[in-house]
Amino acid sequence: MSHYEASIREPLVLGDKSYHDITEDIAKPIEGKANKNWYIAFYISLAAMLWGFGCIFYTVGTGIGVWGLNKNIGWAWDITNFVWWVGIGHAGTLISAVLLLFRQKWRMAINRSAEAMTIFAVFQAGLFPIIHMGRPWNGYWVMPIPNQFGSLWVNFNSPLLWDVFAISTYLSVSLVFWWTGLLPDFAMIRDRAVKPFQKKIYALLSFGWSGRAKDWQRFEEVSLVLAGLATPLVLSVHTIVSMDFATSINPGWHSTIFPPYFVAGAIFSGFAMVQTLLGIMRKVTNMEDYITRMHIEYMNIVIILTGGIVAVAYATEFFIAWYTGSPYENYTYLSVGAATGPYAWAFYSLLFFNILTPQILWFKKIRRSFIWSFIISIFINIGMWFERFDIIAIVLSKGHLPSTWWRFEPTFVDVGIFIGTIGFFFVLFLLYARTFPVIAQAEVKTILKSSGEFYKKRLAQGIPTKPTIVIAEKKIIEVDSSDKNIKE
Amino acid sequence: MYQFSGKLKIFSLALIIVGALGIAFSFYSGSQLTVESAKEIIANQSHGDSHGSAVEGTHSTTKEHDTSGSHTSDGNIDKEMSAHGAHGDDSHAEHVLHQLQNRPWSAFYVALFFFLGTTLLVLAFYASQRVAQSGWSIVLFRVMEAITANIVPVSILMLVFIGLTVGHFNHIFPWMAEGTFDPSSENYDAIVDGKSWWMNVPGWAIRSVVYLLLWNLYRWFIRKNSIAEDTANDGFKTYKKNYNASVIFLFIFMITESMMSWDWIMGLDPHWFSTLFGWYVLATLLVSALTVIAFVTIYLRSKGALPQVNDSHIHDLAKFMFGFSVFWTYLWFAQFMLIWYADIPEETTYFLARFNEYKLPFLGMVVMNFVFPVLLLLNSDFKSIPWFVIIGGIVILAGHYVDVFIMVMPATVGGQWFFGIPEISALLFFLGIFIYTVFSAFSKANAVPTGNPFLEESAHFHYYNIEHRGEGSADH
């Protein structure tokens, strides 16, 4: 098959990599030993996680009253963190599913880690619906299971029940999608393993993948079908999360734009988190040739786009709040509530972190700068946390009846659990980075000859690239030489 | 170079003439209406079963809202609605007369908005393809550009419509009625008066003109520079200029589209509001736009005018039609379900009126826009068969016309709706204009955008499981 990639497309794999180089680069962190920095990061995360678990046990053992909630503000940090973590998870599915449907080759270097991030983030999110229950030991009652109470069932009208189905389906489908993609990569690690124990483990994980043509054909079909299913899933999951609020009658919550706006916000914050993680990972695992400046730039473009959608949604919310003529809406949005009330600082933080600062990504220099992308990505995650906090806490703090107006102050347990989930997340992610192939080598190998820097240069120089499978040893061919002859 | 055939030209002109005659007839018979004829219609309708009870249904909720809802405190009572409750026969007849008089205007407006919006979304899709540096759709660029040529005549007609509306030649926008903002008038509407910072005639007219200007400006610029790109040979300088223009346009589009839908459609029901509305309108127009692109592409390809377009391109278009049909349904359901679930009276009246008086089109449109495309276009093989895409597309286009119809009609003609001469002739009129402008624009430029850096990718685009029927197999 002839190849027709436009010359103005940037290469996706830098350097003159061979297939073997890709394998080596990706297997290295798994086959090597962890360094001191990894252990430092791991132990810090572990400590945070254990602290968080302590706070969770304390909450469950003592009662929800140890949190800062009160009888008017029944949801605050718990659900804020829940929505925040679910939102972060969405970028993983977006990268692996939506970008696959749109045939974006640049996703190949980032999809593995983005999906891992999804799964670990959904773990964290999944904690909150359980621990924020007053009686978490009765949590299994949300399942429609035939029982001895005369088959007492759940009411399917509650978005909180939809959440149960949404999140559990989302986690299972993401896990299957991720694992399917891992099979050829685990097989690669298995085939390289020298230690018998390691070989055994990866043989188990890779399900006997042998990479025959029929297997690959089915593999591709399954990926496509799963991507087609995961795309509506990712939209519906955060839609259902948004309906926890939008189906209510609270001014500031009851808004029809919530479904797509939450989804856009989820992609926005999720991409920011991918940016944060990959910004570090590309350095510490030496993946600079795979996660390039261009990947960072493309992610930033997605961030600007979704950030723009979110900004339009904010503007719409403000506009319609005025447009309704309802005085209650004013307590929630700009005119008297959010912008001037006791939570004004949270409101302005949201505007600053979410709308204002990401705008500098319009400048190409900043978009392509690692350090700026890193800073902005952290800003966005702070901003998106505030977005959820503002939606939840500000609205609940000023309801219809002025005698119910109250404020929310978090306790150390609220904060401790949140820190704990961050620790837990990083524990999982750090373990993942040491044991899993962080880049889908099988996928990157499919684009090496069409989008690798080396091959693109040869193509530009008019040198046929067909027989170049032989270049297993490096530096046989010097690409940059001015004459077009192949030097051997 | 494509030749705009004489047959097609005559056909389109015939459509315009027939449509114009039908429109003229509708307006003429509309102007003949009197209160007497309205009374006659009411008398006829009271024999029927649905109308009376439907109106009753609307009232009971409205009243409930007035006593328990939020507006009692400031004395804002839904004037138009509660007026029904207390009216005598004469004011009812007058109300029905207004609805009857609105019908030719509304029929024209529905078709106008449908064609304007669809053309606009083709322009936005085209811009998005440039910005995304897509590699498959380059050979369709000239098709999309030709379709966007339609934005000029429909914008002019829209300007005329805006002028006539502002000049009080119709009652399409209830808030433009005399005395709405005057507390001493019997027409005074406190709710609308509270929105006068947004809902005022000069503001509305200026905004409307600005939207049209901005969209036309981009279309004029990009068409000129897209053709310049063919021969530019300047190291992609022109290409980059077009890229930047498209980014700016999409930015402006995202904002103006929402505002346009508030001004032109949501304003028809001045008491009602929904935050999602702008994006919902976007989705309906986007599906229509993709379908129109597929139609024109399939037609031109069948005439041999698009030598580089293969079945994979059709397949991609059909995939977009399928995907965004589902997206439309998602937004439709989100808006409907959230309002149904919370059941806040000032929002629910919107769907109550539609569900009671427009049951068949309201439910039928969900079948046409969701069930049908999902069943038809899920199969990968079917998506690359032109006649199959045409069948699916006809239903999709009809379904989205009905969607616009249901957005407009209940607010303007209420229960007096019908799909008859005014609606059909307005559709034919705009279809004629569409065919004439689109195909003459297509015949005026090179069918292949030769200067685009992604042209080769697009020309050899091949989706892996699509077999190209009746083509050479060189690129397989």
Side-chain angles (χ1 to χ4, degrees), chain A residues 4-6 8-9 103 157 159 224 239 243 247 254-257 259-260 308-309 316 319-320 322-324, chain B residues 133 195 197-199 236 254 262 273-276 316 330 337-338 341-342 347 453-454 457 460-461 463-464:
Chain A
Y4 292 96
E5 186 164 286
I8 65 167
R9 289 201 197 277
R103 301 193 287 262
N157 289 340
L224 203 59
T239 291
M243 285 174 179
T247 51
H254 178 72
S255 175
T256 49
I257 207 171
I309 293 172
T316 307
F319 171 80
I320 299 286
W322 276 317
Y323 184 85
T324 59
Chain B
Q133 304 187 317
K195 302 178 186 189
W197 53 273
W198 176 263
M199 279 190 165
F236 301 132
M254 222 159 110
W262 301 331
F273 47 84
S274 167
T275 40
L276 183 56
D316 260 21
Y330 162 65
M337 195 275 271
L338 289 176
Y341 194 109
E347 290 176 20
F454 299 106
E457 272 186 36
H460 298 94
F461 168 59
Y463 189 64
Y464 77 101

Side-chain angles (χ1 to χ4, degrees), chain B residues 399-422:
Chain B
H400 288 281
Y401 170 81
V402 174
D403 191 13
V404 176
F405 188 85
I406 289 180
M407 288 181 203
V408 173
M409 287 294 184
T412 54
V413 304
Q416 312 303 325
W417 70 276
F418 191 70
F419 188 74
I421 292 174

Side-chain angles (χ1 to χ4, degrees), chain A residues 199-398:
Chain A
K199 199 164 194 90
K200 189 118 200 156
I201 294 286
Y202 285 101
L204 271 173
L205 295 178
S206 61
F207 293 178
W209 177 266
S210 57
R212 286 167 300 185
K214 199 68 200 171
D215 297 348
W216 278 115
Q217 187 237 329
R218 298 235 158 92
F219 177 89
E220 298 271 321
E221 298 251 331
V222 163
S223 307
L224 203 59
V225 169
L226 280 177
L229 289 174
T231 303
L233 188 66
V234 74
L235 258 78
S236 67
V237 168
H238 218 65
T239 291
I240 286 168
V241 169
S242 83
M243 285 174 179
D244 294 349
F245 312 103
T247 51
S248 76
I249 54 163
N250 298 17
W253 278 11
H254 178 72
S255 175
T256 49
I257 207 171
F258 269 27
Y261 147 63
F262 266 53
V263 173
I267 299 165
F268 184 50
S269 72
F271 260 87
M273 190 56 129
V274 177
Q275 194 82 282
T276 313
L277 294 175
L278 291 187
I280 302 171
M281 206 178 77
R282 65 185 292 282
K283 270 260 178 292
V284 295
T285 57
N286 299 315
M287 298 293 177
E288 282 111 326
D289 288 339
Y290 303 99
I291 300 162
T292 65
R293 225 172 253 289
M294 204 215 63
H295 290 85
I296 302 291
E297 183 183 14
Y298 278 5
M299 284 195 274
N300 279 331
I301 289 174
V302 176
I303 286 174
I304 302 176
L305 173 68
T306 49
I309 293 172
V310 171
V312 170
Y314 289 154
T316 307
E317 287 269 289
F318 299 148
F319 171 80
I320 299 286
W322 276 317
Y323 184 85
T324 59
S326 160
Y328 297 106
E329 294 282 354
N330 288 343
Y331 285 106
T332 342
Y333 287 115
L334 275 178
S335 49
V336 258
T340 56
Y343 291 111
W345 57 275
F347 179 79
Y348 290 111
S349 310
L350 163 79
L351 294 189
F352 174 77
F353 287 118
N354 257 5
I355 299 190
L356 218 60
T357 41
Q359 301 313 319
I360 63 168
L361 291 174
W362 283 100
F363 299 101
K364 194 170 177 124
K365 271 228 171 71
I366 289 173
R367 210 157 62 212
R368 289 178 76 91
S369 141
F370 294 114
I371 185 73
W372 274 110
S373 307
F374 187 74
I375 294 169
I376 294 287
S377 72
I378 288 174
F379 272 26
I380 290 169
N381 271 317
I382 297 172
M384 286 306 288
W385 191 89
F386 274 117
E387 181 196 298
R388 278 68 179 251
F389 179 76
D390 288 0
I391 286 173
I392 294 170
I394 295 182
V395 169
L396 290 177
S397 70
K398 282 194 174 170

Side-chain angles (χ1 to χ4, degrees), chain A residues 47-292:
Chain A
M49 176 180 117
L50 292 175
W51 172 251
F53 281 2
C55 289
I56 290 174
F57 289 133
Y58 178 54
T59 306
V60 175
T62 316
I64 289 290
V66 301
W67 290 359
L69 302 175
N70 53 59
K71 70 184 167 72
N72 296 316
I73 303 175
W75 277 357
W77 276 55
D78 47 350
I79 300 300
T80 299
N81 298 335
F82 164 70
V83 182
W84 189 70
W85 276 118
V86 180
I88 283 174
H90 277 52
T93 318
L94 189 103
I95 289 167
S96 52
V98 178
L99 296 187
L100 176 72
L101 294 184
F102 282 103
R103 301 193 287 262
Q104 298 297 305
K105 290 178 182 174
W106 59 277
R107 69 170 235 295
M108 289 175 179
I110 55 173
N111 58 359
R112 175 66 42 73
S113 296
E115 285 169 61
M117 185 198 74
T118 293
I119 287 157
F120 304 148
V122 175
F123 277 168
Q124 311 313 321
L127 285 173
F128 287 99
I130 298 169
I131 62 172
H132 93 305
M133 288 181 180
R135 299 179 189 85
W137 48 89
N138 284 341
Y140 71 97
W141 285 6
V142 302
M143 293 296 177
I145 309 166
N147 54 56
Q148 292 176 328
F149 298 106
S151 254
L152 181 68
W153 270 40
V154 287
N155 184 341
F156 285 96
N157 289 340
S158 166
L160 298 181
L161 182 68
W162 308 340
D163 268 347
V164 175
F165 302 132
I167 302 291
S168 52
T169 312
Y170 185 52
L171 181 63
S172 6
V173 172
S174 302
L175 203 58
V176 170
F177 196 9
W178 187 50
W179 207 275
T180 319
L182 275 162
L183 294 179
D185 289 12
F186 279 147
M188 178 271 278
I189 306 287
R190 170 199 67 196
D191 295 345
R192 289 171 55 92
V194 278
K195 292 180 223 151
F197 179 69
Q198 208 184 21
K199 199 164 194 90
K200 189 118 200 156
I201 294 286
Y202 285 101
L204 271 173
L205 295 178
S206 61
F207 293 178
W209 177 266
S210 57
R212 286 167 300 185
K214 199 68 200 171
D215 297 348
W216 278 115
Q217 187 237 329
R218 298 235 158 92
F219 177 89
E220 298 271 321
E221 298 251 331
V222 163
S223 307
L224 203 59
V225 169
L226 280 177
L229 289 174
T231 303
L233 188 66
V234 74
L235 258 78
S236 67
V237 168
H238 218 65
T239 291
I240 286 168
V241 169
S242 83
M243 285 174 179
D244 294 349
F245 312 103
T247 51
S248 76
I249 54 163
N250 298 17
W253 278 11
H254 178 72
S255 175
T256 49
I257 207 171
F258 269 27
Y261 147 63
F262 266 53
V263 173
I267 299 165
F268 184 50
S269 72
F271 260 87
M273 190 56 129
V274 177
Q275 194 82 282
T276 313
L277 294 175
L278 291 187
I280 302 171
M281 206 178 77
R282 65 185 292 282
K283 270 260 178 292
V284 295
T285 57
N286 299 315
M287 298 293 177
E288 282 111 326
D289 288 339
Y290 303 99
I291 300 162
T292 65

Side-chain angles (χ1 to χ4, degrees), chain B residues 331-401:
Chain B
L331 294 184
W332 173 81
F333 181 73
Q335 179 166 277
F336 176 75
M337 195 275 271
L338 289 176
I339 289 174
W340 167 80
Y341 194 109
D343 202 17
I344 299 173
E346 60 253 52
E347 290 176 20
T348 313
T349 47
Y350 183 82
F351 283 114
L352 216 57
R354 278 155 181 82
F355 200 80
N356 286 331
E357 289 174 345
Y358 291 75
K359 194 166 268 155
L360 180 68
F362 185 77
L363 297 173
M365 124 187 127
V366 182
V367 176
M368 289 199 280
N369 293 344
F370 176 59
V371 181
F372 202 79
V374 163
L375 295 179
L376 220 63
L377 295 176
L378 193 58
N379 186 309
S380 197
D381 295 335
F382 291 175
K383 280 198 282 280
S384 64
I385 301 171
W387 63 266
F388 222 92
V389 178
I390 297 270
I391 288 179
I394 287 171
V395 177
I396 289 175
L397 277 183
H400 288 281
Y401 170 81

